[in-house]
Amino acid sequence: MKTPLAMLLTFALLLPTLAANDEREEDRVKESGVVLKEILNIPDDIPQDLLDQAECVVILPSVKKGAFGIGGSYGRGVMICRSGAHYTGPWGAPALYALEGINIGFQLGGQATDFVLLVMNPKGAESLLTSKVKLGADASAAAGPKGRTAEAATDVVMKAEILSYSRSKGLFAGISLEGSTLRSDGSANEKLYKQQLSAKDIIRSGKVKAPPAAHDLIALLDKKTPKNKSDPKSLQ
């Protein structure tokens, strides 16, 4: 058995590692805010009317090919939603999410790429909050249209539960992520919030306050799209 002194020394040695883990999760949240701000400042960016109709936004900075198995991809980021029973309130605390898939790296040619996904209705949001979701199968997904408005968007895009965008080497575009999966990153959420929580606990139940690392991200969304302009009937 370890003596109390040995246990104390072991804990002291682990402290830097634990602190580093916490900082890594906080950095993910901060970086997500930076990426979203940069993308929303691109002239030919995400249409404002689509952003105003989104119940949630998923931001995944620097998804890289080869980071998840052979020929696969793995990205980490956040999902943040409007608060309130019908997603009509201010933006709330974020939950950490992971993107996995075998098609992403092929499409991007191996370049590190930032992704922004708009979750366009409550059904899509609830799917992501309750289980691991395969895009295109468990939730309908489409490449998002660009430009200041989405007037030219196709019916497929307008009916999609999730619209996806990418930025790689300064190029911004809508991109299909069908076949990839999104899931709540449970261990990362535990590190960030210092307790075991589901994504639904964080986003819908409001069991925790947003961490300081998320303040810039929330302020940005509250400024850019303070009101949900979806058809009220679609939120019932």
Side-chain angles (χ1 to χ4, degrees), residues 1-19:
M1 292 180 63
K2 290 185 177 180
T3 65
L5 179 59
M7 293 176 66
L8 184 61
L9 289 172
T10 300
F11 182 71
L13 290 171
L14 285 174
L15 276 177
T17 301
L18 295 173

Side-chain angles (χ1 to χ4, degrees), residues 17 32 52 62 92 100 114 143 159 169 177 221:
T17 301
S32 295
D52 288 340
S62 297
E100 303 163 354
D114 304 317
K159 292 177 181 178
K169 285 192 172 182
L177 293 179
L221 285 167

Side-chain angles (χ1 to χ4, degrees), residues 8-101:
L8 184 61
L9 289 172
T10 300
F11 182 71
L13 290 171
L14 285 174
L15 276 177
T17 301
L18 295 173
N21 285 339
D22 292 342
E23 290 174 3
R24 185 161 59 245
E25 314 314 324
E26 291 170 359
D27 286 344
R28 284 170 60 181
V29 177
K30 291 179 182 177
E31 188 178 0
S32 295
V34 171
V35 165
L36 184 61
K37 182 177 182 180
E38 291 175 351
I39 286 178
L40 292 182
N41 285 332
I42 294 173
D44 190 22
D45 66 355
I46 297 170
Q48 183 65 46
D49 48 351
L50 290 182
L51 185 61
D52 288 340
Q53 293 175 53
E55 274 68 78
C56 307
V57 179
V58 180
I59 308 108
L60 298 146
S62 297
V63 175
K64 296 180 181 179
K65 180 179 179 181
F68 182 73
I70 299 173
S73 300
Y74 185 74
R76 294 171 181 264
V78 306
M79 176 172 166
I80 182 169
C81 300
R82 301 179 195 270
S83 60
H86 300 294
Y87 298 94
T88 54
W91 294 88
L96 296 171
Y97 268 70
L99 176 75
E100 303 163 354

Side-chain angles (χ1 to χ4, degrees), residues 12-213:
L13 290 171
L14 285 174
L15 276 177
T17 301
L18 295 173
N21 285 339
D22 292 342
E23 290 174 3
R24 185 161 59 245
E25 314 314 324
E26 291 170 359
D27 286 344
R28 284 170 60 181
V29 177
K30 291 179 182 177
E31 188 178 0
S32 295
V34 171
V35 165
L36 184 61
K37 182 177 182 180
E38 291 175 351
I39 286 178
L40 292 182
N41 285 332
I42 294 173
D44 190 22
D45 66 355
I46 297 170
Q48 183 65 46
D49 48 351
L50 290 182
L51 185 61
D52 288 340
Q53 293 175 53
E55 274 68 78
C56 307
V57 179
V58 180
I59 308 108
L60 298 146
S62 297
V63 175
K64 296 180 181 179
K65 180 179 179 181
F68 182 73
I70 299 173
S73 300
Y74 185 74
R76 294 171 181 264
V78 306
M79 176 172 166
I80 182 169
C81 300
R82 301 179 195 270
S83 60
H86 300 294
Y87 298 94
T88 54
W91 294 88
L96 296 171
Y97 268 70
L99 176 75
E100 303 163 354
I102 60 172
N103 296 324
I104 306 168
F106 175 78
Q107 292 171 343
L108 301 177
Q111 299 298 329
T113 300
D114 304 317
F115 288 105
V116 173
L117 284 64
L118 303 184
V119 184
M120 301 305 297
N121 55 47
K123 180 182 176 182
E126 292 302 317
S127 295
L128 289 174
L129 288 170
T130 55
S131 63
K132 183 176 181 177
V133 170
K134 187 172 183 179
L135 302 181
D138 303 320
S140 60
K146 299 190 302 175
R148 289 301 180 186
T149 67
E151 292 177 357
T154 65
D155 288 342
V156 173
V157 167
M158 298 308 293
K159 292 177 181 178
E161 293 171 357
I162 297 173
L163 299 177
S164 50
Y165 295 87
S166 68
R167 181 185 66 166
S168 181
K169 285 192 172 182
L171 299 176
F172 177 72
I175 188 169
S176 173
L177 293 179
E178 287 194 7
S180 305
T181 58
L182 265 175
R183 63 171 176 81
S184 173
D185 195 343
S187 60
N189 282 317
E190 184 176 355
K191 292 173 185 174
L192 181 65
Y193 289 104
K194 308 298 188 296
Q195 55 182 302
Q196 286 189 336
L197 295 163
S198 67
K200 202 164 189 175
D201 289 336
I202 297 167
I203 290 176
R204 298 298 283 154
S205 300
K207 291 188 176 181
V208 289
K209 294 182 178 180

